[in-house]
Amino acid sequence: MARNTSRRTVVDSPRANARTIRTVSLSAQLKKMVRHPMVIGVTVLVCVFIAGVYALVATPKYEASATVLVNPLSTNPSSSSHSNVSINTEASVASSREVAEAAAKSLSSSHDDLVSELRQSIEVSAHSGTSIFDVKATASSAQDAAEYANAIAQAYLAVRSDALQDSVNTVAAGIEKQIDALGKNGNDAARAALEERLAQVRITDTNAGRIITSAKVPQEPTNLGFIKCIFVGVISGLLLGAIIAWVLDSRARTVNYRDRAEDILGEEVFIIRDTQDIEDTRRAFRSIGVINGNFHKAHIAGAVLYSSVPRASDDFAATLRQAYADKGLTFVDSPASVLSQKKLSPSDTPNILVTDRGTELSEVLSAADVLGACVVVLTPETSVNDLEEFVNVAEHIADAHFLYVFLTS
């Protein structure tokens, strides 16, 4: 809506046009949040309290990491895959229960429960494109974290070496059977080839790899410290509080704030303060051309005072009487006395029609058309639905000034 500055004669109201093109702006959404500082403040305090308690009672977590280099292994020296290592496969092996059981045995004689703990505590991550993977252990004890990581790394190398040795033994046994099958009178060349192959298999290097970086005992837990927890609590509280404030404001049934009324109306709302109500009232009327109470100069014959809040119109009427005590304003409370005349002349004594909540909107708007102005009196208790209903009905009224005032008391 745009505030009237002169009597209009077209039905396509600028107020309607302004409401049509209103868009949702970031500043308008921020206003919804900052209108509820108490909600945001309380939410921040609650989140800070929760974060502080968590920082004090949370079990510390320590992380330690070992790095393993994996050697390529093969019982066939002529194999083209001799130098290739599938590091993702080896990382999966390091995460297996077999390795966890071997590591648990090296750490404790009573290792049944330790196997599950190790598997939950260990994370193995491969370095893509390399023959290296990391073993990261997390535990409530710094010493345990380092021991777990090193135990898994060592157990993996042992399991992998044992597996290769088993493969070497199996291949060697197969070759020996082939040699035995040739007998004493067998082909000497074939026997020599098999014996050479057996010798190569038996000298296969079963070194699975090595730990290139052993896990060290961590000095600090990975948990957020008390100060960091408090900081997270503040940030979380601000975000959560802003969301709650926005929801509360968006769903509020009453106007509550002057700027919220402006958001609904799309035009300026004049605040009438307790301590400066006379000056604020004169300033508001000056915006529609009524300077020093001269309604004739503004080309209007008076104004309708309307509010959906009981007694609000009467309260503002009392202030208006004081503001223009020497202007001879005539105050009436019956719409019929105004509607009986098709149009009042601005040269007549200004009439102020004071309506109450029970007055029909059609009568209010008809009287506004006759007098030339309508003053909508808002308070924090003004219903959002009532105000929006009034705007939707009034936006096509062409021949009246609309003035919105907000009473703080």
Side-chain angles (χ1 to χ4, degrees):
M1 279 184 290
R3 189 174 65 251
N4 300 341
T5 56
S6 62
R7 298 296 298 277
R8 292 166 295 173
T9 58
V10 292
V11 176
D12 188 13
S13 168
R15 290 192 302 275
N17 293 337
R19 284 177 59 79
T20 300
I21 63 175
R22 282 177 60 198
T23 58
V24 177
S25 66
L26 178 60
S27 60
Q29 303 311 308
L30 290 176
K31 279 184 180 179
K32 292 183 178 182
M33 302 174 189
V34 300
R35 288 177 192 141
H36 304 275
M38 184 63 69
V39 171
I40 296 176
V42 170
T43 306
V44 169
L45 289 177
V46 171
C47 289
V48 167
F49 175 77
I50 293 174
V53 171
Y54 171 81
L56 294 175
V57 303
T59 301
K61 295 293 183 181
Y62 294 89
E63 288 185 359
S65 180
T67 302
V68 178
L69 173 65
V70 182
N71 289 339
L73 300 177
S74 174
T75 57
N76 183 5
S78 62
S79 172
S80 60
S81 61
H82 179 74
S83 61
N84 295 331
V85 173
S86 175
I87 196 61
N88 290 325
T89 300
E90 298 306 322
S92 298
V93 172
S95 304
S96 67
R97 183 175 185 84
E98 180 183 8
V99 171
E101 288 177 346
K105 287 180 181 179
S106 68
L107 290 171
S108 172
S109 57
S110 176
H111 59 274
D112 292 339
D113 294 337
L114 187 55
V115 173
S116 297
E117 183 177 347
L118 280 172
R119 299 200 71 191
Q120 293 175 359
S121 304
I122 293 298
E123 178 183 345
V124 181
S125 55
H127 292 220
S128 180
T130 71
S131 299
I132 296 174
F133 64 77
D134 293 328
V135 179
K136 183 174 71 174
T138 303
S140 57
S141 164
Q143 185 67 35
D144 286 348
E147 289 181 354
Y148 289 175
N150 289 328
I152 289 292
Q154 292 165 0
Y156 159 77
L157 294 176
V159 167
R160 189 165 187 259
S161 293
D162 290 345
L164 181 61
Q165 187 61 59
D166 290 342
S167 297
V168 168
N169 294 338
T170 299
V171 172
I175 296 174
E176 288 174 346
K177 287 183 179 180
Q178 294 179 45
I179 294 174
D180 291 341
L182 290 175
K184 294 182 179 180
N185 299 321
N187 188 310
D188 292 338
R191 182 187 298 275
L194 288 173
E195 289 177 345
E196 181 180 357
R197 170 72 177 125
L198 178 61
Q200 290 177 341
V201 169
R202 284 175 172 171
I203 64 172
T204 298
D205 184 7
T206 59
N207 181 17
R210 63 190 178 90
I211 300 174
I212 57 178
T213 303
S214 297
K216 306 298 181 184
V217 177
Q219 301 301 311
E220 297 290 338
T222 57
N223 306 60
L224 293 177
F226 184 80
I227 299 300
K228 290 183 179 179
C229 281
I230 295 299
F231 178 75
V232 171
V234 171
I235 299 301
S236 301
L238 286 173
L239 293 175
L240 180 60
I243 293 173
I244 295 174
W246 185 89
V247 171
L248 289 175
D249 193 87
S250 299
R251 296 186 177 183
R253 296 183 178 182
T254 55
V255 171
N256 296 325
Y257 304 92
R258 188 270 299 268
D259 55 352
R260 189 159 193 260
E262 290 180 332
D263 290 344
I264 297 171
L265 297 167
E267 67 173 285
E268 184 176 6
V269 174
F270 293 88
I271 191 165
I272 309 298
R273 296 163 291 184
D274 285 342
T275 56
Q276 301 184 44
D277 54 349
I278 302 299
E279 176 58 29
D280 288 342
T281 298
R282 290 172 178 169
R283 182 171 60 88
F285 271 88
R286 193 177 293 115
S287 70
I288 60 172
V290 179
I291 301 174
N292 297 325
N294 191 337
F295 285 78
H296 172 69
K297 188 175 182 179
H299 304 291
I300 58 178
V304 180
L305 304 187
Y306 167 77
S307 179
S308 61
V309 178
R311 303 292 306 170
S313 294
D314 293 327
D315 292 342
F316 186 69
T319 301
L320 192 59
R321 283 190 178 93
Q322 297 179 51
Y324 300 122
D326 57 343
K327 302 304 178 182
L329 303 182
T330 300
F331 287 83
V332 296
D333 57 11
S334 173
S337 62
V338 174
L339 296 177
S340 61
Q341 306 179 57
K342 292 183 178 180
K343 186 72 70 175
L344 291 176
S345 171
S347 62
D348 297 332
T349 301
N351 284 267
I352 305 298
L353 172 60
V354 184
T355 64
D356 56 30
R357 179 178 173 81
T359 306
E360 296 290 338
L361 276 182
S362 59
E363 293 182 329
V364 172
L365 298 176
S366 296
D369 196 43
V370 171
L371 295 173
C374 180
V375 180
V376 181
V377 183
L378 309 174
T379 73
E381 292 75 33
T382 297
S383 167
V384 171
N385 290 337
D386 288 346
L387 181 56
E388 290 179 340
E389 179 186 2
F390 177 86
V391 172
N392 290 332
V393 174
E395 63 186 5
H396 297 295
I397 300 300
D399 283 347
H401 295 278
F402 282 81
L403 176 63
Y404 298 91
V405 297
F406 187 88
L407 307 185
T408 58
S409 59

